[in-house]
Amino acid sequence: MAPLGRAMIPSVIESQENMQQIKCQISISLDGFVAGPNQSLDEPLGEGGTRLHEWVFATGEWQRQHGLEGGEPGPDSDVIRDAMDNVGAYIMGRNMFGGGNGAWDETWTGWWGDDPPFHAPVFVLTHHPREPLPMQGGTEFSFVTDGPEAALEQARAAAGAGDVSVAGGATTVQQFIAAGFLDELHLHIVPIVLGAGERLLVNVGDPKFEPVEVVASAAVTHVRYRVVH
């Protein structure tokens, strides 16, 4: 068996230096789900959904980003580090930010405590207006009611020379793929079967993907795709 690690696919690598990219990083099960069934405030990732992210929590880079010590070095940790590199702004959906549906409970400030791990502007897609929410560490949540294109325009401007990361959840990623906004899709394929829940690649039209890089460990396989426009 070949050693686990990183493999580039040179036939489709193109120089994109100095170009702002719209990217998405997301963990997915073997049967195509990015969250389990019966999502709720108590189980925001659905039943069994936390298993999709256990590989993340085990890495040294995740521990470092959250002010902790320990964790494992290796290819998964390197992937986490690279995922945060050069990101100037984030976009996420209302469900990922949390707090339930309908009008805002303004005591809700997200899942991540007073110092969220983004350290950059975050644009939250919602149908309900809310004033911007500055947090510690450089994170500021802004709430966008005009749809994905408006959120992308604001995120591009806020990111400057940095990239824009579409953080999730599934519906938000689907909207960006279907609209042709996404430049790269990074799938972290976890060897579990959830059986039900929230699928990622539905209602996205007929996009064309080219694999650019594969990184493998014993816990997860990371595949980076370029979206062909």
Side-chain angles (χ1 to χ4, degrees):
M1 179 181 293
L4 300 177
R6 183 180 297 260
M8 302 297 290
I9 303 173
S11 62
V12 297
I13 297 173
E14 296 181 354
S15 176
Q16 295 178 321
E17 293 181 2
N18 303 318
M19 292 178 60
Q20 187 184 69
Q21 297 285 292
I22 314 304
K23 301 179 178 181
C24 172
Q25 305 257 354
I26 196 162
S27 292
I28 189 168
S29 68
L30 287 177
D31 52 345
F33 295 101
V34 296
N38 302 318
Q39 290 174 267
S40 66
L41 287 177
D42 292 330
E43 289 194 274
L45 296 173
E47 296 171 5
T50 303
R51 297 164 63 203
L52 290 168
H53 303 280
E54 289 175 351
W55 70 270
V56 179
F57 307 145
T59 64
E61 184 63 22
W62 188 88
Q63 299 286 336
R64 185 192 67 78
Q65 290 176 6
H66 290 78
L68 304 172
E69 296 182 356
E72 296 295 325
D76 295 338
S77 190
D78 294 343
V79 164
I80 295 296
R81 182 198 63 225
D82 293 346
M84 306 290 284
D85 185 45
N86 199 45
V87 176
Y90 294 84
I91 296 171
M92 67 175 61
R94 167 76 184 262
N95 285 347
M96 182 171 178
F97 181 78
N101 298 319
W104 287 102
D105 172 3
E106 298 205 2
T107 64
W108 180 263
T109 58
W111 305 102
W112 304 279
D114 294 332
D115 186 6
F118 305 102
H119 309 300
V122 181
F123 297 87
V124 180
L125 289 165
T126 177
H127 296 296
H128 298 273
R130 182 174 177 177
E131 291 298 311
L133 179 63
M135 306 291 285
Q136 296 177 17
T139 299
E140 180 171 81
F141 295 105
S142 297
F143 302 91
V144 182
T145 58
D146 297 331
E149 189 168 2
L152 180 58
E153 182 178 354
Q154 293 178 48
R156 279 186 181 276
D163 295 328
V164 175
S165 177
V166 181
T171 300
T172 298
V173 177
Q174 290 162 9
Q175 290 175 323
F176 274 75
I177 295 174
F181 295 152
L182 208 63
D183 296 309
E184 288 191 353
L185 176 63
H186 301 213
L187 294 182
H188 310 298
I189 305 167
V190 182
I192 63 172
V193 174
L194 290 176
E198 197 165 13
R199 287 193 182 275
L200 180 65
L201 295 176
V202 294
N203 304 317
V204 296
D206 186 24
K208 302 295 188 295
F209 299 99
E210 290 185 347
V212 175
E213 183 180 25
V214 178
V215 179
S217 78
V220 58
T221 300
H222 314 275
V223 184
R224 178 162 63 99
Y225 294 96
R226 182 168 66 92
V227 184
V228 181
H229 296 299

